[in-house]
Amino acid sequence: MPAQREPKVGRRPGNQDTRGQIITAARHAFAAKGFAGTSMRGIASDAGVDAALIHHYFDSKQQLFLATIAMPLELPGFVEQVAAGNRSDLGGRLVRTVLGVWDSELQPSLVAAIRTALTDPVLTRSVAEFFTLEVIGHVLRRDDLPPEEANRRAGLVASQILGLLLGRYVLRLPVLVNRESADLVAEIGPTVQRYIDGHS
């Protein structure tokens, strides 16, 4: 009598391929249209899947974008934590949180993602747009600011934070690498706060 086969458990074999199709379609869409101009419905159409299936794998467009550049999907949660606090010390809190994330076990994947983005001009544009709109823009979101002013402040904050990340973790400038995180928060936080408050 032939031995009974063990019942298969877990996801169906095709699921990972479907996820890969979605990521591939999303990568092309973000490259062609930028982050803001890309829709989940459009990605679903390009991937040949139902839009609801994308949400089975990714909670949001932000998460899907992060997956296309191999960045940790936890980043939106960190953004929410920063945005929830008091506005008067937002600059220091933002720098402290960013350094905390990059000094964690996520650092290798973050550095790899940034290096990959910098080698592709189209991808660089999408990453810059995502970072300014969805990360810094979300942290700075205020109903009483005209869009132009909000974008100006977000751009200035993004320039400071991205400069810090590139200098410390990618270019590894000794003056930044050899500094304690607390010192960098004390030195850079007030500058970021000035940008947040509109004083450039």
Side-chain angles (χ1 to χ4, degrees):
M1 183 175 180
Q4 285 188 322
R5 290 186 178 182
E6 292 292 326
K8 292 184 178 180
V9 294
R11 294 183 176 181
R12 291 177 302 175
N15 281 2
Q16 190 61 34
D17 290 339
T18 301
R19 186 179 188 277
Q21 283 178 254
I22 292 169
I23 290 176
T24 298
R27 188 177 289 120
H28 289 304
F30 288 129
K33 304 173 186 174
F35 180 81
T38 300
S39 70
M40 296 284 264
R41 189 172 297 280
I43 292 170
S45 176
D46 292 343
V49 300
D50 189 271
L53 186 59
I54 295 184
H55 291 285
H56 173 73
Y57 295 104
F58 305 100
D59 291 338
S60 63
K61 186 169 76 166
Q62 291 90 336
Q63 275 201 352
L64 178 52
F65 178 79
L66 291 171
T68 67
I69 56 173
M71 274 210 175
L73 304 188
E74 302 96 320
L75 289 185
F78 293 120
V79 174
E80 291 294 338
Q81 291 175 22
V82 175
N86 192 292
R87 191 175 182 80
S88 63
D89 65 345
L90 184 52
R93 195 166 66 251
L94 178 58
V95 175
R96 186 181 306 108
T97 301
V98 166
L99 290 175
V101 172
W102 280 71
D103 285 333
S104 72
E105 69 279 0
L106 298 175
Q107 185 181 132
S109 59
L110 289 167
V111 171
I114 290 296
R115 287 187 186 279
T116 299
L118 292 176
T119 62
D120 184 340
V122 175
L123 188 55
T124 301
R125 177 177 63 87
S126 295
V127 170
E129 183 182 331
F130 172 81
F131 190 82
T132 302
L133 292 177
E134 296 301 314
V135 178
I136 303 300
H138 183 75
V139 169
L140 301 188
R141 194 162 291 147
R142 286 175 56 179
D143 294 336
D144 58 336
L145 283 179
E148 298 81 8
E149 177 62 13
N151 289 338
R152 184 183 77 87
R153 296 188 193 187
L156 289 171
V157 172
S159 70
Q160 195 72 34
I161 298 297
L162 288 172
L164 171 61
L165 295 178
L166 288 173
R168 183 171 166 93
Y169 301 102
V170 179
L171 300 176
R172 298 196 61 78
L173 301 177
V175 70
L176 295 176
V177 172
N178 297 332
R179 300 291 287 163
E180 295 290 335
S181 293
D183 293 331
L184 291 172
V185 171
E187 293 160 352
I188 298 174
T191 299
V192 174
Q193 188 66 46
R194 284 205 314 275
Y195 292 155
I196 290 169
D197 294 335
H199 308 307
S200 54

